[in-house]
Amino acid sequence: MADELERPEHRESEPHLPSPTIWPFAFAGAVALILLGLIVSLTITAIGVVLAVVFGFLWIRDVTRDLRAEPEPVEAPPPVVVEEEEEAVEPERYTRSKFLEASTLGLGAAIGGIVTVPVLGFAVLPAFVDQDYPDIDLGALDNYPEGDWVIATFTSVPEDGPVSRRTAFVRNNGLRNQVPSFTIISNRCVHLGCPTQPQGPPGEPAEVQTTAVPVTLTPTQPSGFGCPCHGGAYDIEGNRTAGPPVRALDRYEYLIVNGSLVLGNPYSVSHVDGQGADATIYRYGEAVDPGVHVDGPEQILYPYIP
Ligand code: FES
């Protein structure tokens, strides 16, 4: 009885706080999953987006429950007679619960923006902007005797200087359907990116002046290509034969322009059947980073490559 007397009465006019909800935390978890997915796998990103939409919807539904509640019917208040001189416009008032709802939403949006925008700008956006490689003039076709391998070393971005030096292994395969055929293999090991070397004696290097950058050409007679870092080994078509590399060596597209060999974009290769001009190249779409599994079940562990 004493307890009942001490219990405070509920007052209808007192504003009430929104009931606690777990959806903001679930939404934050979904956003974290999206960010993780952008690094790890597109599948995880898609799951994160779906969860974020669902949890975001549930969060907004909870927060706006009071706004959507049907008002209880109340008796119309008796008309108030206002004296002429007392007529004054009452300013519109907001309850504390409404203020808290708006602040929660505003604060959540601000924190979401602060966390998400820099990540999108600095980590994700660069992957979608044009990163085409410039075409490199490797000199006249006469510099590439038919059937022989030549190590071509060149500066891929002249403005960047020596730091952009690249090496490609070039073999003139002769004519195929009256069109010159070349095999051009990147020297970048597809394990962790170390420079591979031809397994054979190198000849005398010679500098060739081209329309753009100087190119050094060194004749060689390799039996394959080897990587000094972890023992990766490749055959003469760039197929992996031993060690940790995950696929064949990357290759370059090429063009013949005014009698010169012009290097295009690199691309990644699963494996190559056959040799020279008759080889069948199992190509992936674009160049993929070293160490990345592009097919097989392992591919879900690697970042999405736009
Ligand atoms: S980087 Fe070539 S084998 Fe490891």
Side-chain angles (χ1 to χ4, degrees):
M1 190 68 174
D3 280 355
E4 277 178 27
L5 289 173
E6 284 169 17
R7 194 176 299 144
E9 277 181 23
H10 173 71
R11 283 174 288 171
E12 282 299 325
S13 59
E14 189 174 285
H16 54 276
L17 295 173
S19 54
T21 170
I22 61 162
W23 302 128
F25 301 103
F27 181 75
V31 171
L33 199 61
I34 293 172
L35 298 177
L36 178 71
L38 289 172
I39 299 167
V40 174
S41 154
L42 189 59
T43 314
I44 295 176
T45 307
I47 294 170
V49 168
V50 171
L51 291 178
V53 169
V54 171
F55 293 149
F57 170 76
L58 293 171
W59 182 14
I60 291 171
R61 196 189 63 165
D62 268 15
V63 169
T64 59
R65 178 176 295 145
D66 288 350
L67 299 176
R68 289 180 286 105
E70 285 286 322
E72 289 181 10
V74 290
E75 277 185 22
V80 179
V81 179
V82 181
E83 298 293 331
E84 277 285 310
E85 59 275 13
E86 289 177 5
E87 200 173 289
V89 180
E90 270 284 311
E92 197 178 353
R93 292 183 182 280
Y94 292 93
T95 60
R96 192 170 54 161
S97 64
K98 282 217 173 64
F99 169 74
L100 286 174
E101 284 166 15
S103 346
T104 308
L105 278 176
L107 206 59
I111 292 173
I114 290 168
V115 170
T116 313
V117 170
V119 171
L120 289 177
F122 293 111
V124 179
L125 204 59
F128 291 88
V129 298
D130 186 15
Q131 295 184 354
D132 241 9
Y133 295 80
D135 290 346
I136 306 290
D137 182 353
L138 290 186
L141 297 188
D142 300 345
N143 295 303
Y144 300 91
E146 186 172 330
D148 289 348
W149 283 96
V150 173
I151 307 167
T153 307
F154 52 90
T155 306
S156 61
V157 185
E159 311 86 68
D160 291 353
V163 74
S164 68
R165 275 180 85 74
R166 299 282 178 271
T167 295
F169 307 128
V170 183
R171 182 185 57 203
N172 182 349
N173 298 322
L175 295 180
R176 188 172 200 251
N177 300 328
Q178 305 307 313
V179 177
S181 162
F182 282 83
T183 296
I184 307 181
I185 295 178
S186 165
N187 80 326
R188 187 178 67 162
C189 180
V190 294
H191 175 220
L192 293 178
C194 285
T196 58
Q197 290 160 6
Q199 292 171 321
E204 273 302 307
E207 193 161 290
V208 175
Q209 193 58 47
T210 68
T211 53
V213 292
V215 176
T216 303
L217 300 180
T218 308
T220 184
Q221 296 174 338
S223 57
F225 304 98
C227 179
C229 289
H230 313 100
Y234 305 87
D235 69 14
I236 200 65
E237 291 297 322
N239 286 311
R240 172 196 167 275
T241 54
V246 296
R247 54 177 195 269
L249 285 170
D250 293 347
R251 292 191 171 211
Y252 282 97
E253 297 170 345
Y254 63 91
L255 293 168
I256 309 297
V257 180
N258 299 328
S260 287
L261 178 62
V262 174
L263 203 65
N265 287 339
Y267 60 92
S268 292
V269 172
S270 163
H271 63 283
V272 178
D273 284 342
Q275 275 211 358
D278 298 322
T280 305
I281 301 164
Y282 294 87
R283 166 183 177 156
Y284 299 120
E286 301 295 337
V288 184
D289 286 338
V292 172
H293 283 271
V294 188
D295 51 17
E298 301 96 336
Q299 66 178 297
I300 62 167
L301 300 173
Y302 291 85
Y304 167 61
I305 297 153

